[in-house]
Amino acid sequence: MVTFTAAPFAPQRPLIAATPKTRIPSIDLLRGIVMLIMPIDHLRDMLHFGHPFATDLHTTTPILFFTRWITHLCAPAFVFLSGVSAYLAGKRRTRQELAGFLIKRGIWLLFIEVFVINLAVEVDPLYHLIVLQVIWAIGGSMILLGVLVWANASPRVIGAIGLVIFFGHNIIDVLHNDTIDNNPIWRLFVSAAGFSRHDPIGHGRYFVLAYALLPWTGVMLLGYAIGTLYSQDAAKRKRALTTIGLALLAFFVVFRAFNIYGDPAPWSVQKNFLFSVMSFLNVTKYPCSLLYLCVTLGISLLILANTEGATNRLSRIVIVYGSVPFFYYIVHWFLAQSITIILFFSLGHHMSEAYHSDFAFSTNTFGLPLAGVYGIWLLLVTVLYFPCRWFANYKKMHRQWWLSYL
């Protein structure tokens, strides 16, 4: 039960039961799909024997390549839908309230990335290695979006800024040189080196900047602008999302086919047709290229456009995961690492071997075949369904302020 405090001398109102919050099923469904796919990549990094580089066409296999490639959908969809959700959250708040909420939540996400996610990944309470990944990108982008909202920028203006960043950020590829690439501010905002570079921060500690902020901010700003479609008729929204999705895929095909612009790593003909297709699809994630974003968001928008009426049992199960994405994200890291540690010691390895890779307890002499990784993935997502369902139901019926941060 929730009580409302009346103004002085006003008649007392009766207690009013909390009512379920309204959510948009198609958004939760897309978010649930990417949430379910995402652990495949993390478990592959942690558990696949030998930890082969999945996108190196000289050594990879088709099944390994596409195991990695399907998870490319996750980060762009996650960031984009965060922008959509920010717009929808603004419909319940004033401009100042929304700006404050976005900035505070962005700072909260940065804290979670540094102190919670890194603890789950590295199992190191002294934080010798700090990795800034997708939660950092969402948190930083949310702060910048909050500043734009505070400055009274309209969704149209925010969308225009997002378009400029989205389509223009690969122009900076021609500017790369050692001086620029070694500038920490430049790498922080524009050209993160992915997981290949460890930068010292003193006292035996390092950070890895996996996600450059501005390209991802462009994705969030576009999500915020496209969120306005959810104030329109469903049929018009479906047509708009389908058109935008197809346009992004067409842009990807044309510009990738001729290696015109949008990715620093051109494709080339390989030893057979399948590997040539793999080369064509082998777009750059670190930092995210325009063509990487076009192909992944194009697919996501088509899913979003065509799932508004999905009401079958499978969609209802997937929506459970998508309705509590942040909760799921945090818990899945701790569960994945717990499974990894159990397997590590069960397979005869010792503590002295535990910290010899970017992921704790994931040395090159430890792991499972790819089929085993998929088996662990199925176990993990099945186990997580039950706490996700409980928390989703709890959020529907409660309105405590802290729930908006989870």
Side-chain angles (χ1 to χ4, degrees):
M1 304 290 285
V2 177
T3 59
F4 293 85
T5 303
F9 309 111
Q12 291 292 323
R13 296 180 182 180
L15 297 177
I16 301 174
T19 56
K21 295 180 179 179
T22 301
R23 300 188 66 92
I24 298 175
S26 58
I27 292 177
D28 284 342
L29 181 58
L30 174 58
R31 195 180 269 127
I33 291 170
V34 299
M35 289 294 99
L36 287 173
I37 293 172
M38 176 186 61
I40 298 174
D41 193 47
H42 298 158
L43 290 169
R44 181 187 58 80
D45 279 332
M46 300 165 83
L47 293 176
H48 193 195
F49 186 84
H51 310 286
F53 193 55
T55 55
D56 183 349
L57 298 184
H58 297 96
T59 58
T60 193
T61 63
I63 185 64
L64 178 58
F65 176 87
F66 285 106
T67 294
R68 168 59 173 156
W69 196 90
I70 59 173
T71 64
H72 277 346
L73 297 173
C74 300
F78 207 8
V79 177
F80 176 82
L81 292 177
S82 294
V84 175
S85 296
Y87 174 81
L88 296 174
K91 297 175 70 175
R92 307 188 301 271
R93 295 173 171 89
T94 66
R95 174 177 61 84
Q96 294 89 347
E97 288 172 343
L98 177 61
F101 169 72
L102 292 174
I103 292 171
K104 288 185 290 185
R105 194 167 198 271
I107 294 171
W108 167 244
L109 291 176
L110 299 185
F111 173 86
I112 291 295
E113 179 75 285
V114 172
F115 293 103
V116 178
I117 303 303
N118 275 280
L119 180 63
V121 174
E122 299 300 326
V123 199
D124 177 13
L126 299 180
Y127 297 95
H128 290 95
L129 183 65
I130 296 173
V131 185
L132 300 180
Q133 301 187 75
V134 68
I135 298 299
W136 134 260
I138 294 174
S141 298
M142 200 167 283
I143 292 171
L144 296 179
L145 174 58
V147 171
L148 288 173
V149 172
W150 175 81
N152 206 25
S154 67
R156 182 170 295 182
V157 170
I158 290 173
I161 295 171
L163 280 173
V164 171
I165 297 173
F166 186 87
F167 284 101
H169 75 270
N170 275 126
I171 292 174
I172 54 86
D173 290 341
V174 300
L175 301 177
H176 282 201
N177 58 58
D178 289 342
T179 301
I180 290 177
D181 289 344
N182 287 325
N183 184 296
I185 302 301
W186 177 265
R187 289 189 292 106
L188 186 71
F189 284 95
V190 179
S191 63
F195 294 90
S196 62
R197 177 168 179 158
H198 291 40
D199 292 291
I201 53 178
H203 304 289
R205 290 177 172 81
Y206 299 84
F207 77 92
V208 174
L209 185 61
Y211 284 67
L213 183 57
L214 281 182
W216 293 103
T217 299
V219 174
M220 182 173 288
L221 300 186
L222 289 180
Y224 183 86
I226 288 177
T228 60
L229 294 175
Y230 286 89
S231 300
Q232 299 180 11
D233 175 75
K236 291 181 179 178
R237 178 169 59 252
K238 180 178 180 178
R239 288 196 296 271
L241 292 173
T242 300
T243 300
I244 297 169
L246 290 175
L248 288 175
L249 291 177
F251 185 95
F252 164 75
V253 170
V254 172
F255 276 68
R256 186 65 168 165
F258 295 99
N259 287 321
I260 299 172
Y261 168 74
D263 198 291
W267 78 284
S268 60
V269 175
Q270 301 294 309
K271 60 184 179 182
N272 58 42
F273 176 76
L274 179 56
F275 272 77
S276 294
V277 171
M278 290 160 57
S279 177
F280 191 84
L281 293 174
N282 196 18
V283 284
T284 303
K285 182 177 181 180
Y286 304 109
C288 58
S289 72
L290 168 61
L291 296 186
Y292 164 85
L293 294 174
C294 283
V295 66
T296 53
L297 286 177
I299 293 170
S300 294
L301 286 170
L302 292 181
I303 295 172
L304 196 60
N306 291 280
T307 54
E308 289 207 22
T311 57
N312 57 59
R313 179 175 176 79
L314 179 60
S315 68
R316 291 194 295 272
I317 291 173
V318 175
I319 284 172
V320 167
Y321 296 96
S323 61
V324 288
F326 189 49
F327 173 84
Y328 172 92
Y329 185 84
I330 293 175
V331 175
H332 105 277
W333 271 118
F334 283 95
L335 180 56
Q337 190 61 269
S338 298
I339 293 171
T340 299
I341 292 171
I342 291 170
L343 287 173
F344 183 83
F345 290 112
S346 298
L347 294 175
H349 294 271
H350 304 284
M351 194 67 189
S352 59
E353 306 171 67
Y355 294 96
H356 293 283
S357 65
D358 287 341
F359 288 90
F361 302 92
S362 299
T363 65
N364 285 337
T365 59
F366 157 77
L368 303 172
L370 192 57
V373 174
Y374 272 97
I376 297 297
W377 164 74
L378 185 60
L379 171 66
L380 181 143
V381 298
T382 301
V383 168
L384 284 179
Y385 174 79
F386 301 99
C388 286
R389 184 178 63 180
W390 168 81
F391 191 58
N393 290 331
Y394 185 89
K395 289 188 72 174
K396 285 179 183 178
M397 300 306 300
H398 294 79
R399 293 181 177 176
Q400 292 94 329
W401 65 269
W402 54 267
L403 286 173
S404 62
Y405 290 86
L406 293 175

